[in-house]
Amino acid sequence: MNTSQEPLISRMKRSNILLLALALLAVGAGFLVRDKVAAPNTGIELGNKVPDIEMANPEGKSLALSELKGHVVLIDFWASWCRPCRAENPTLVKAHLNYKDKKFVNGRKGFAIFSVSLDRNKEQWLAAIRKDQLSWKWHVSDLQHWGNKAAQVYGVRSIPSNFLIDGEGVLLAKNLRGPALETQLAKLVK
């Protein structure tokens, strides 16, 4: 190879390497942008996909909030010793009975309640479930009182506290009390 061709070949190699590097950067940036657009934010702000909760039920079986995908779900933080919680329970029972079999926009399978107890005493927790006639099966607790992991993740500082999510786990409303819960559910029915 003569010396007059060397700079041309070197320039072509550098040019190809530069083009390859730019192409890789563009592809990488495309993946970053796609991930940010496609993945909803996870958190406890309205419009966020809420974090999953996995905890034991009274029988010791692990239940996960994600098992209720497709349902409109009220995540309810409460305790047997909490008088305002107990006073709110008849409202939850009524809403559950009225909406458990309804079809919702973005919640094809009906309405469910996922109750997270901040109790320490299992017997008192179970007695309150029976006495208040909380007939749904989604009752969980780690029996850690205010140290409850789910309560910490959800930023629960007082109870009763609740979060209404759609069938995809996206947060629609917080702390619905009394008739506000049924009013919100009525708006979501197909």
Side-chain angles (χ1 to χ4, degrees):
M1 179 175 339
N2 75 38
T3 56
S4 65
Q5 290 180 336
E6 270 184 62
L8 179 62
I9 291 173
S10 274
R11 280 184 288 173
M12 286 176 61
K13 283 182 183 177
R14 278 193 302 250
S15 172
N16 286 341
I17 290 171
L18 182 61
L19 285 173
L20 179 62
L22 286 172
L24 288 173
L25 271 170
V27 168
F31 280 115
L32 288 174
V33 169
R34 187 202 74 210
D35 288 345
K36 288 186 183 204
V37 170
N41 290 330
T42 299
I44 57 166
E45 298 303 318
L46 296 180
N48 287 168
K49 185 171 179 137
V50 298
D52 197 14
I53 299 171
E54 188 169 342
M55 213 167 275
N57 71 1
E59 293 78 37
K61 180 183 177 207
S62 184
L63 298 179
L65 174 63
S66 57
E67 293 174 55
L68 288 168
K69 184 174 180 169
H71 290 80
V72 169
V73 179
L74 183 74
I75 306 164
D76 181 48
F77 290 89
W78 76 293
S80 65
W81 46 262
C82 168
R83 287 180 192 235
C85 301
R86 302 293 296 276
E88 189 68 22
N89 279 344
T91 301
L92 300 183
V93 169
K94 181 180 176 211
H96 183 253
L97 290 173
N98 290 341
Y99 289 92
K100 67 181 179 169
D101 297 320
K102 301 280 187 197
K103 300 297 179 209
F104 292 91
V105 175
N106 209 11
R108 304 163 301 282
K109 298 180 181 178
F111 173 63
I113 299 176
F114 192 89
S115 294
V116 181
S117 172
L118 274 59
D119 275 286
R120 278 191 183 141
N121 183 296
K122 184 176 178 178
E123 289 72 31
Q124 290 173 351
W125 173 37
L126 292 173
I129 291 170
R130 282 189 302 274
K131 183 173 184 186
D132 294 357
Q133 300 176 21
L134 308 180
S135 62
W136 49 92
K137 75 173 205 169
W138 301 94
H139 293 279
V140 298
S141 183
D142 58 12
L143 299 173
Q144 295 298 310
H145 201 247
W146 287 106
N148 181 287
K149 276 204 185 267
Q152 291 176 359
V153 169
Y154 277 71
V156 173
R157 303 284 179 256
S158 64
I159 54 175
S161 184
N162 63 50
F163 301 81
L164 185 68
I165 63 172
D166 71 8
E168 297 301 317
V170 174
L171 185 58
L172 302 174
K174 295 181 187 181
N175 296 318
L176 298 169
R177 303 266 187 282
L181 174 58
E182 286 207 49
T183 299
Q184 184 67 36
L185 289 172
K187 290 178 187 176
L188 299 172
V189 173
K190 278 187 180 179

